[in-house]
Amino acid sequence: MCDSVDEVTEAVLAKNDSLAAGLRQELARRGVSVVNLLSSPGSGKTELLGRVLARAVERGLPVAALTADLATENDADRLARSGAPVKQLLTDGLCHLEARQLRGHVQSWLPEGTSLLFVENVGNLVCPASYDLGESLRIVLMAVTEGEDKPLKYPTAFGSAQLVVLTKTDLSGPAGFDEAAFEANVRRVNPGVEVVRSCARTGVGVDTLLERALAVRDGAPAHRPPLAPRPHSHSHSHSHSHSHEGAEAGLVS
């Protein structure tokens, strides 16, 4: 029996790890790669994802998307305009997705033949960073309006990212955003990770983001973050690693 909050947390995350490992194997058998998108609310994640999905549909690529929120189906409605299959996942108050939730939707909804599934996680850079979803690629997004020090404030999220995407770059000037300082802060918590500049309004970065996801789907190695997953070694504390199975989800720079 667990006798502390830390032990309860460890037990919950260990159970999630086990489910995520099984889901990753199931997805591999089906030829599906999952891209887990994490960001704060208001980062422009939904708009950018919609552009990526639309580009994939134009190219005839078998993609789909799950979008998670505490309430409303607004984001699913927006993403569906891309023409890709989209499903809303309501978390009933949870501030993050868990592997069990994703597994249920993969088993009951994912269209046959899908090879690339984008998962738009709940807008939050704390709890989602601790939960492996069985993903092949973890992307953390941040808008230029959020400040250069965001990677230092949320080192678990940025330190577990296999790709970092800077959004709303058309606002860099008005926001007074120091991109060099931002990239230096990213490197402090995640040396070697690629930073992709993007702007959903102009389309900058859309093709790059899609190509990075496709490369991982096709087995290309990519960046391995310092907080690459180690099974059953979890904590909500930023001093501990979050987890996936490093050999399968870790990407080598």
Side-chain angles (χ1 to χ4, degrees):
M1 181 175 178
C2 298
D3 58 7
S4 73
V5 172
D6 285 345
E7 288 181 35
V8 171
T9 300
E10 292 290 333
V12 168
L13 291 172
K15 181 177 180 180
N16 182 81
D17 279 354
S18 178
L19 290 172
L23 178 58
R24 185 174 288 109
Q25 293 173 357
E26 177 184 342
L27 291 167
R29 286 194 298 269
R30 294 177 58 174
V32 181
S33 290
V34 172
V35 179
N36 185 9
L37 304 173
L38 282 70
S39 79
S40 300
S43 68
K45 178 169 77 264
T46 304
E47 189 66 24
L48 182 61
L49 176 56
R51 295 292 297 268
V52 171
L53 292 172
R55 189 64 51 86
V57 170
E58 289 172 9
R59 294 174 52 179
L61 299 171
V63 299
L66 279 169
T67 180
D69 269 310
L70 277 69
T72 82
E73 297 196 0
N74 294 348
D75 285 353
D77 292 341
R78 292 169 62 191
L79 292 176
R81 296 171 194 156
S82 68
V86 176
K87 176 77 171 177
Q88 183 74 51
L89 197 164
L90 297 180
T91 65
D92 296 323
L94 276 181
C95 62
H96 59 273
L97 282 180
E98 297 181 4
R100 62 179 176 80
Q101 296 166 302
L102 182 60
R103 182 180 64 176
H105 282 74
V106 164
Q107 292 174 337
S108 66
W109 168 79
L110 189 66
E112 190 67 31
T114 300
S115 67
L116 191 58
L117 174 62
F118 288 91
V119 177
E120 183 182 22
N121 216 312
V122 180
N124 183 337
L125 282 177
V126 182
C127 297
S130 295
Y131 285 83
D132 182 6
L133 299 183
E135 68 256 35
S136 300
L137 180 63
R138 173 175 291 211
I139 300 177
V140 173
L141 303 91
M142 192 202 92
V144 298
T145 51
E146 297 181 65
E148 301 87 351
D149 60 348
K150 199 84 168 198
L152 304 182
K153 291 182 175 180
Y154 298 92
T156 299
F158 283 89
S160 66
Q162 295 161 314
L163 186 69
V164 173
V165 176
L166 185 63
T167 65
K168 303 185 182 182
T169 54
D170 56 327
L171 299 179
S172 290
F177 185 74
D178 186 338
E179 190 169 328
F182 166 73
E183 293 199 8
N185 289 335
V186 170
R187 287 193 295 272
R188 285 180 62 183
V189 298
N190 196 341
V193 70
E194 181 182 9
V195 177
V196 173
R197 301 176 75 259
S198 74
C199 174
R201 187 177 64 83
T202 64
V204 169
V206 169
D207 288 316
T208 301
L209 183 52
L210 179 57
E211 290 303 326
R212 297 298 184 270
L214 290 171
V216 171
R217 180 200 67 176
D218 295 339
H223 179 66
R224 184 189 298 277
L227 297 188
R230 288 188 292 274
H232 312 308
S233 176
H234 297 276
S235 172
H236 275 283
S237 165
H238 286 170
S239 65
H240 287 73
S241 130
H242 135 270
S243 93
H244 321 202
E245 302 212 324
E248 293 176 352
L251 303 171
V252 182
S253 63

